[in-house]
Amino acid sequence: MIILKTEKELAYMRDAGRIVAGAHAEIAQAVRPGVTTAELDRIAEEYITRKGGRPAFKGLYGYPATICASVNEQVVHGIPGLRVLQNGDIISIDIGAEINGFFGDSAVTLPVGEVSPQVSRLLEVTEQSLYQGIARAVEGNRLTDISHAIQKYVEAHGFSVVRDYVGHGIGSSMHEEPQVPNFGRPGRGPRLKAGMTLAIEPMVNMGTYKVRTLPDNWTVVTDDLQYSAHFEHTIAITESEPEILTRL
């Protein structure tokens, strides 16, 4: 069942989204060669709690940290730890926060120092594919109009879209119906209605779209170990333009 949000509930989700966006801003200032992923996790947790929120990922399905920190070939669900970032790395930071019983969820991939032109292009295309999808998140469209727009843009630029992990509805739970694939034919799935809230999150690989999970049972990597990027926003369907809830 897809839950339509009231204006009061959307206000709570805006609060959660601002906390997530603020945590991303803090981390973006800290990402540099020599920093550990555990230090980035500490920064995010301290920020979220200072703003009155709760780290939404910590403990979710047994996940042990505040952020997902996925480096280079890691697609999603990288666990923060002692890994030291190096010049030329990229790191995908996924953050969730809850306040007043409602959630926000957002991800961004950041370069560490100087990266190659091809890697920089991967980040740019992945971020723009997110906005291609958001642009289709309007009342009256079908869910897979979002999916198709993302896939079409990514593949036109020579990259591939991960199939095994998708976006999702979000609200009083971190994961609600519907699932939001980043690929597929347009014109399918439920019709979008004002009050729907979605976490749209393309995961884009330089090589194959195929992925596998490491023995820690969390970290997902590209099957060919080429780089992957991940961008995400929580958005609300409105009677006019989609509203991005996870930005300052």
Side-chain angles (χ1 to χ4, degrees):
M1 182 178 67
I2 300 173
I3 302 169
L4 302 183
K5 311 306 186 295
T6 66
E7 184 52 44
K8 183 177 182 180
E9 291 169 337
L10 286 173
Y12 288 147
M13 292 188 70
R14 291 184 191 103
D15 291 340
R18 280 191 291 269
I19 292 173
V20 169
H24 272 297
E26 295 274 313
I27 285 181
Q29 292 182 7
V31 166
R32 63 186 183 279
V35 73
T36 67
T37 54
E39 174 66 9
L40 301 179
D41 189 69
R42 182 192 64 79
I43 290 169
E45 182 163 1
E46 288 182 356
Y47 181 88
I48 291 168
T49 55
R50 187 167 72 246
K51 294 296 182 178
R54 179 182 67 83
F57 296 166
K58 199 168 189 178
L60 183 67
Y61 313 125
Y63 187 73
T66 292
I67 67 172
C68 297
S70 306
V71 182
N72 297 342
E73 76 280 359
Q74 297 175 355
V75 181
V76 288
H77 306 157
I79 300 172
L82 299 179
R83 181 165 185 166
V84 178
L85 297 182
Q86 306 292 327
N87 186 62
D89 286 344
I90 59 173
I91 181 167
S92 297
I93 304 290
D94 195 354
I95 304 176
E98 177 266 325
I99 191 168
N100 295 319
F102 284 83
F103 290 82
D105 186 11
S106 177
V108 63
T109 303
L110 300 169
V112 182
E114 296 292 327
V115 299
S116 71
Q118 180 72 348
V119 170
S120 181
R121 185 166 168 268
L122 171 69
L123 270 56
E124 180 182 352
V125 168
T126 307
E127 183 173 19
Q128 288 305 312
S129 76
L130 169 61
Y131 290 105
Q132 291 286 319
I134 291 172
R136 272 65 174 190
V138 295
E139 191 169 40
N141 277 356
R142 296 281 186 182
L143 182 71
T144 64
D145 293 336
I146 298 171
S147 312
H148 181 72
I150 291 169
Q151 181 182 17
K152 182 178 178 182
Y153 186 85
V154 167
E155 293 181 351
H157 288 83
F159 298 117
S160 64
V161 175
V162 171
R163 266 66 163 176
D164 291 11
Y165 297 88
V166 299
H168 52 92
I170 184 171
S172 59
S173 297
M174 172 56 72
H175 297 115
E176 297 182 350
E177 291 297 326
Q179 292 192 341
V180 186
N182 300 302
F183 62 95
R185 296 173 62 182
R188 298 185 173 190
R191 199 169 293 281
L192 302 178
K193 298 179 181 179
M196 287 183 179
T197 47
L198 307 173
I200 302 173
E201 51 177 321
M203 291 146 272
V204 175
N205 299 345
M206 291 186 75
T208 179
Y209 67 84
K210 295 180 180 179
V211 300
R212 54 189 170 88
T213 304
L214 296 184
D216 66 8
N217 293 320
W218 280 108
T219 309
V220 177
V221 300
T222 57
D223 199 51
D224 57 9
L225 300 182
Q226 293 197 59
Y227 280 17
S228 181
H230 178 203
F231 283 82
E232 174 185 22
H233 271 307
T234 298
I235 66 105
I237 310 297
T238 75
E239 294 178 354
S240 55
E241 297 298 313
E243 180 184 357
I244 297 175
L245 302 176
T246 42
R247 63 182 177 194
L248 295 172

